[in-house]
Amino acid sequence: MKLTDNVLRSFRVAKVFRENSDKINCFDFCSNGEAIISSSDDDSLVLYDCQEGKPKRTLYSKKYGVDLIRYTHAANTVVYSSNKIDDTIRYLSLHDNKYIRYFPGHNKRVTSLSMSPVDDTFISGSLDKTIRLWDLRSPNCQGLMHLQGKPVCSFDPEGLIFAAGINSEMGPFATFKLQYDRTCEWTGLKFSNDGKLILLSTNGGALRILDAFKGAVLHSFGGYNNSKGVTLEASFTPDSQFVMIGSEDGKIHVWNAESGMKVALLDGKHTGPITCLQFNPKFMTFASACSNMAFWLPTIDD
């Protein structure tokens, strides 16, 4: 089944899970699409089975808190940032709920975490105005960049380069200058799976798609509600054809990445802002979250 405008418009919430008492700050699908793990401001990690459509396990990180959770390539392991006590990144085995390694170095909150798609390296960006490069096998930072502001960063799909954005500048493989919008700051950066596009999200009411090679702004998307400056996650669909973002009123907006045309407006009946939104990498489903987690399915076969 192929993703088309009609299929996207047909998506409806199939299941809602109320496992959390506070907002879900992040979630991540494992690479085979069979599981999803969430981190929440209630200090819990919830593991869901996507095929059975149900929560499997809940773990807690009461002492350190948990944010920016990411699967690594090893089965049943994750890295995540702390939002209490310190700013150390933690590497956790879900199998026995034990820490494998700690990655100390940042001295302010980590705001960006990206796992290399090809190996055991990952990068982190922090309010301490640095980006650090790490290897899961060593607690020592492998590389450090000092920047002018709070960075957002991500690896490209081939793991060859990473992009860093500091509000109005992109780098480091080529520096692009974008017109700086003082009303909002950049909160997220993602590559499309084909590596051709970069999606920049902000804490305002605007999203941008850039040409990943030239840095030109191809489209700016607005028209979704975000009056309170919430960090809303925007995502590409796995085929790189569509861009989607939630909003503070519980609706999901979808655009065609090439034409820039609005394709769909979906109502998730979320009780709060949709802070997290990602398409499953392998299956025709996506998830959205406020303090509740919703799994979506298409209702037509196109």
Side-chain angles (χ1 to χ4, degrees):
M1 187 169 161
K2 197 165 168 288
L3 256 189
T4 63
D5 294 9
N6 283 338
V7 170
L8 269 167
R9 285 188 202 108
S10 83
F11 269 87
R12 299 291 180 269
V13 174
K15 283 199 171 168
V16 178
F17 305 99
R18 297 177 176 86
E19 304 296 305
N20 296 98
S21 59
D22 206 336
K23 83 161 189 191
I24 294 169
N25 52 40
C26 188
F27 63 64
D28 194 34
F29 283 100
C30 63
S31 56
N32 64 12
E34 290 173 9
I36 184 171
I37 193 162
S38 67
S39 54
S40 166
D41 288 357
D42 66 11
D43 306 332
S44 72
L45 299 77
V46 183
L47 184 64
Y48 297 86
D49 184 315
C50 294
Q51 291 175 307
E52 293 180 27
K54 63 183 189 190
K56 278 283 221 225
R57 281 177 79 194
T58 300
L59 305 172
Y60 291 95
S61 180
K62 291 279 188 202
K63 186 175 177 184
Y64 304 109
V66 54
D67 200 350
L68 299 176
I69 195 152
R70 302 281 184 264
Y71 276 105
T72 71
H73 301 297
N76 281 323
T77 60
V78 291
V79 287
Y80 65 82
S81 66
S82 318
N83 52 18
K84 290 176 165 183
I85 295 194
D86 64 17
D87 305 290
T88 298
I89 297 164
R90 292 180 163 77
Y91 181 23
L92 178 72
S93 164
L94 300 173
H95 171 66
D96 50 9
N97 195 20
K98 291 207 164 61
Y99 292 116
I100 302 166
R101 198 160 281 114
Y102 300 105
F103 304 95
H106 287 298
N107 54 33
K108 286 190 177 164
R109 191 165 61 88
V110 175
T111 53
S112 207
L113 195 59
S114 177
M115 195 74 216
S116 163
V118 295
D119 60 26
D120 283 338
T121 55
F122 66 97
I123 47 172
S124 58
S126 161
L127 294 177
D128 64 16
K129 300 182 183 176
T130 66
I131 288 176
R132 288 175 180 266
L133 177 69
W134 310 88
D135 188 305
L136 284 173
R137 294 161 293 192
S138 162
N140 305 319
C141 174
Q142 308 291 305
L144 176 64
M145 282 176 71
H146 289 276
L147 305 155
Q148 296 301 305
K150 181 192 103 170
V152 286
C153 54
S154 179
F155 275 100
D156 81 312
E158 292 176 348
L160 297 174
I161 52 173
F162 67 87
I166 306 99
N167 251 341
S168 63
E169 296 205 11
M170 295 277 301
F173 50 94
T175 301
F176 309 141
K177 262 199 184 299
L178 302 189
Q179 198 175 353
Y180 185 29
D181 179 356
R182 294 195 179 277
T183 61
C184 59
E185 59 179 43
W186 295 358
T187 53
L189 184 156
K190 291 184 182 179
F191 280 86
S192 56
N193 275 346
D194 62 11
K196 294 177 181 171
L197 304 172
I198 290 173
L199 180 59
L200 268 180
S201 40
T202 70
N203 63 357
L207 275 180
R208 292 198 183 111
I209 290 187
L210 313 183
D211 180 309
F213 303 105
K214 303 192 182 82
V217 177
L218 302 176
H219 298 293
S220 290
F221 302 123
Y224 57 92
N225 292 345
N226 190 18
S227 62
K228 297 184 180 74
V230 178
T231 297
L232 304 171
E233 182 178 23
S235 291
F236 285 102
T237 51
D239 60 7
S240 309
Q241 301 301 306
F242 300 95
V243 167
M244 50 206 306
I245 192 169
S247 59
E248 67 184 7
D249 58 8
K251 292 187 170 62
I252 292 171
H253 299 251
V254 187
W255 296 269
N256 183 299
E258 191 176 5
S259 70
M261 297 294 288
K262 186 96 169 244
V263 172
L265 179 61
L266 307 168
D267 191 354
K269 307 275 195 301
H270 277 282
T271 51
I274 299 177
T275 43
C276 308
L277 175 68
Q278 285 177 39
F279 218 93
N280 188 303
K282 298 291 183 215
F283 301 105
M284 190 60 78
T285 174
F286 68 84
S288 60
C290 53
S291 58
N292 300 335
M293 172 78 84
F295 286 4
W296 298 68
L297 291 170
T299 51
I300 60 164
D301 300 324
D302 204 27

